[in-house]
Amino acid sequence: MCTWNLDRRSVKEDKPDTIIDSPCCVMCLEFHPVNPAWIAGGNFNGEVILWDLSQNDDLVLASSGIGDDAHREP
């Protein structure tokens, strides 16, 4: 997943501001209504991940994970 900050004057189509790798296909995304740096995403395997784009290193704030009792269907 790639994101661009459209508020910047120097937006380059071929250079995203953030690149997020996901272990599985991301099926849906939603930005936080108050903090636009937070994105929640749902993966094809049923995992829900919360990313913080304001971080430099580890963007994952939280994850539902995939355990024995986790949802496993899309």
Side-chain angles (χ1 to χ4, degrees), residues 1 20-23 37-43 46-53 55 58-66:
M1 175 176 58
I20 298 173
D21 290 322
S22 177
W38 289 4
I39 300 177
N43 286 344
E47 182 179 28
V48 177
I49 302 173
L50 178 63
W51 293 283
D52 183 356
L53 300 181
Q55 301 296 320
D58 188 15
L59 300 178
V60 176
L61 279 180
S63 171
S64 64
I66 301 295

Side-chain angles (χ1 to χ4, degrees), residues 28-50:
C28 61
L29 293 172
E30 185 73 28
F31 282 91
H32 190 277
V34 178
N35 186 346
W38 289 4
I39 300 177
N43 286 344
F44 184 76
N45 64 3
E47 182 179 28
V48 177
I49 302 173
L50 178 63

